[in-house]
Amino acid sequence: MASPEEDMANNAATPPVAAEVVGDAHLLGFSDEILLHILSHVPSTDLVLNVRPTCRKLAELCLDKSLVHTVLLQKDYQASEDKVKQLVKEIGQEIQQLNLAGCYWLSGSTIEHVARCRNLVRVNLSGCHLTSLRLSKVLSALEHLRSLAIDVNPGFDASQLSSECRATLSRVRELKQTLFTPSYGVVPCCPSLHKLLLYFEILDRTREGAVLSGQLMVGQSNVPHYQNLRVFYARLAPGYINQEVVRLYLAVLSDRTPENLHAFLISVPGSFAESGATKNLLESMARNVALDALQLPRSWLNGSALLQNMKFNNPFYFSFSRCTLSGGHLIQRVINGGKDLRSLASLNLSGCVHCLSPDSLLRKAEDDIDSSILETLVASCCNLRHLNLSAAHHHSSDGLGRHLCQLLARLGQLRSLSLPVCSIADSARGPPAQPVMHAAPRGFGKKVRIGVQTSAGPFPGPAAPQPASVFWSLLKSLHFLEHLELIGSNFSSAMPRNEPAIRNSLPPCSRAQNVGDSEVAAIGQLAFLRHLTLAQLPGLLTGSGLVNIGLQCQQLQSLSLANLGMMGKVVYMPALSSMLTHCRQLKDLRLEQPYLSANAQFFQALSHCASLQRLCLVSRSGTLQPDAVLAFMARCLHVVVCHMFTGDSLATCKSLQQSLLRSFQAERPALNVVIFPLLHEGLADVIRDVPMVHLDEVTLFKSRVAEEPPNLWW
């Protein structure tokens, strides 16, 4: 192999930056194994188009099968049309797995180039622009394909799929299909399916206001094939039409339950009435299969003996979100009286308000939990990695060693955890007296906008966590926690899905008043924390605990804050600004707060987040400073999502949105800007145009811990 000096001589046209890399003996002196590990962190487009031409050694390594067999372009927002076409031209024949999920900025003609990757085994095209004809052209060339993810949009016509395309689909074993129109999509063409994931995102009305029908096209109803199915997953967005369509998919399952089915999951917001067909399906499943993953609509489980009859085989995921499952039923029917469930990796009990109490009939929200139920749960499911207990009032008594935090501290393998704010309070004492300067405004007292200093006093330093608190002890035990959510039991976002903005919110739980800056400061212990959500913490005064997080949680990538402190009189903005100056790895920021003043000081601090890619601000009666937003976007070159929903006028919002698009669209192909009044009646129509990847991950607030089984899709 040529020496670095020879390579330098043979590459006289090497750009200065590349030449510097080539001439660094410390880099090229590493073993190939180490260099391959380093190169694995370089985006595929940069690897092939920029790093590969620098020298012979890197040219060889960049084509190593460990780097080119799998190409991940999702969230590679710099992957322009030309770069993707050139990448496919250079290494298309080597690619076996290609992920283009959420690449909404690429045109359909660019997506067609995927057909050149003839050795593809897996391809994810969710969120990409694909017509029936383009899909047919692409799939016709991929005879080795076994795993496929696509969107089914209005206008999809399965009759346009060629015989070669259908032959490819007949061999597909894994299918993920996101439906934006009533359709079976390509499911009837896939008789070999082992895994079927369905995401229903169909709106009840068209843009013009016409009501859609859930009736599938006649001629398509010649049946999905489920005989080989092992995993069935369906997630529904709000709306009656999504329920109508999923029933048609389930009707086939009710006729004949697949013998090898081991995961059955349906996620439905709100109520979803049980039908005769679904009852037959559940009874058949109870008789014929043993599951290792289960999620059902709450109305199918409430008051049902189904769990008692269902058989489980080394289960790894359970979700009973929003079910009226009592602690007694949880222990008897799920844990089977303390049965060993060491296989269980993920458990979602969000919204199960009675799951830690023996009886759901007599319990009130403010009553204490039965710690023995939680103790049995922890002992039986000792290997849990993901646990969601949010959206409920889980209050602990003062008994020694019986606090919820003390019991959860035994789950040392947890990687993600979601708790209600009131559950981490040390005791049942009343809320602390607030200093006069933080008192709620009386009568017609003027509300203070966040971001405006109310006094000239110096900003207090980082808060000191209290080592004696049960929450501090809990986090000390969870060394490897990566995802933490503290969400108020009564919190609801002002921006729900497919509906007008919520103008009023429920008051926080009284015990949440006991959770303040010192508890937030304790989060700084989590050295591996990547994702943090804090919502409805009324006891937050200065926000000084946020500074601790910024200083100590250096791997933090996503941050969601909502309704911190007392509404209308919050002074934590200086602390947040101080925190942001330390968040070098932060990629996503969502901030929801009434009366937010997004001013120059805030955006100046946010500019320190060099890795920031997505920003969403939601503020009832809040204001923006357009010049500050433009200056921020000019400084932060990686930001591609700018969503702001405030109290500004429609004219102000449209003007700012147009200015941002005009200034930055050309150099940022993935740029998505939405600036709109939060309480405007046209908000729902604006939201429907937001790319699903951003809407689902940033724009809308939700708990994400144990939302889906781990490793549901590759």
Side-chain angles (χ1 to χ4, degrees), residues 140-208:
S140 295
L142 307 180
E143 61 182 29
H144 302 292
L145 194 68
R146 297 296 180 268
S147 179
L148 172 67
I150 58 169
D151 289 353
V152 177
N153 291 296
F156 179 86
D157 184 357
S159 67
Q160 295 180 335
L161 303 179
S162 68
S163 57
E164 293 84 0
C165 172
R166 291 174 181 272
T168 295
L169 289 170
S170 69
R171 296 184 287 268
V172 167
R173 295 188 176 187
E174 299 177 352
L175 176 65
K176 178 182 178 183
Q177 198 168 250
T178 304
L179 296 158
F180 294 93
T181 188
S183 173
Y184 280 122
V186 300
V187 173
C189 304
C190 304
S192 304
L193 283 181
H194 288 184
K195 178 186 288 189
L196 177 60
L197 276 55
L198 299 168
Y199 293 77
F200 295 85
E201 298 289 344
I202 312 166
L203 296 173
D204 292 343
R205 294 176 180 269
T206 65
R207 225 176 264 283
E208 295 73 29

Side-chain angles (χ1 to χ4, degrees), residues 58-291:
L58 290 179
E60 293 176 7
L61 290 176
C62 286
L63 293 181
D64 187 86
K65 64 180 182 180
S66 66
L67 299 178
V68 298
H69 278 192
T70 299
V71 173
L72 308 177
L73 295 180
Q74 85 281 17
K75 296 185 181 177
D76 182 358
Y77 300 119
Q78 305 305 314
S80 64
E81 305 254 5
D82 291 339
K83 286 182 178 179
V84 172
K85 291 176 182 177
Q86 187 64 26
L87 177 71
V88 170
K89 182 180 179 181
E90 296 281 345
I91 63 167
Q93 294 296 324
E94 308 299 325
I95 303 175
Q96 294 184 3
Q97 297 188 60
L98 176 61
N99 192 340
L100 285 165
C103 291
Y104 53 87
W105 62 91
L106 299 178
S107 65
S109 59
T110 298
I111 299 300
E112 274 190 29
H113 283 67
V114 172
R116 298 185 179 184
C117 306
R118 295 183 176 274
N119 292 312
L120 275 178
V121 177
R122 293 179 164 187
V123 64
N124 190 337
L125 300 174
S126 297
C128 296
H129 298 290
L130 270 180
T131 61
S132 309
L133 289 173
R134 281 206 167 102
L135 178 66
S136 180
K137 182 176 180 180
V138 170
L139 296 186
S140 295
L142 307 180
E143 61 182 29
H144 302 292
L145 194 68
R146 297 296 180 268
S147 179
L148 172 67
I150 58 169
D151 289 353
V152 177
N153 291 296
F156 179 86
D157 184 357
S159 67
Q160 295 180 335
L161 303 179
S162 68
S163 57
E164 293 84 0
C165 172
R166 291 174 181 272
T168 295
L169 289 170
S170 69
R171 296 184 287 268
V172 167
R173 295 188 176 187
E174 299 177 352
L175 176 65
K176 178 182 178 183
Q177 198 168 250
T178 304
L179 296 158
F180 294 93
T181 188
S183 173
Y184 280 122
V186 300
V187 173
C189 304
C190 304
S192 304
L193 283 181
H194 288 184
K195 178 186 288 189
L196 177 60
L197 276 55
L198 299 168
Y199 293 77
F200 295 85
E201 298 289 344
I202 312 166
L203 296 173
D204 292 343
R205 294 176 180 269
T206 65
R207 225 176 264 283
E208 295 73 29
V211 178
L212 289 176
S213 168
Q215 183 61 45
L216 300 186
M217 292 168 51
V218 178
Q220 283 192 19
S221 49
N222 54 0
V223 202
H225 298 275
Y226 294 142
Q227 58 265 33
N228 299 312
L229 207 59
R230 298 178 182 177
V231 176
F232 180 89
Y233 175 87
R235 192 186 81 179
L236 282 66
Y240 76 91
I241 193 169
N242 290 310
Q243 297 188 12
E244 280 189 31
V245 176
V246 78
R247 288 188 191 280
L248 295 171
Y249 278 84
L250 292 173
V252 180
L253 272 177
S254 65
D255 291 337
R256 181 182 176 187
T257 306
E259 296 177 359
N260 295 319
L261 189 69
H262 67 82
F264 186 78
L265 308 120
I266 302 180
S267 173
V268 183
S271 176
F272 184 39
E274 196 175 17
S275 66
T278 56
K279 286 182 180 178
N280 292 338
L281 169 62
L282 296 176
E283 290 173 0
S284 175
M285 287 169 54
R287 289 194 306 269
N288 301 317
V289 301
L291 298 175

Side-chain angles (χ1 to χ4, degrees), residues 376-422:
T376 302
L377 177 67
V378 168
S380 301
C381 311
C382 57
N383 291 324
L384 272 178
R385 296 170 68 87
H386 313 281
L387 176 62
N388 195 328
L389 293 171
S390 65
H393 297 269
H394 295 316
H395 299 165
S396 298
S397 62
D398 291 326
L400 185 63
R402 312 291 284 177
H403 193 282
L404 177 141
C405 289
Q406 293 171 315
L407 295 174
L408 293 183
R410 303 175 188 177
L411 297 174
Q413 296 192 48
L414 279 178
R415 295 298 183 270
S416 65
L417 176 64
S418 183
L419 294 174
V421 175
C422 56

Side-chain angles (χ1 to χ4, degrees), residues 24-36 38 57 61:
D24 188 344
H26 293 292
L27 176 61
L28 294 181
F30 287 139
S31 67
D32 287 358
E33 183 180 3
I34 293 176
L35 285 174
L36 286 172
I38 294 172
K57 181 170 185 177
L61 290 176

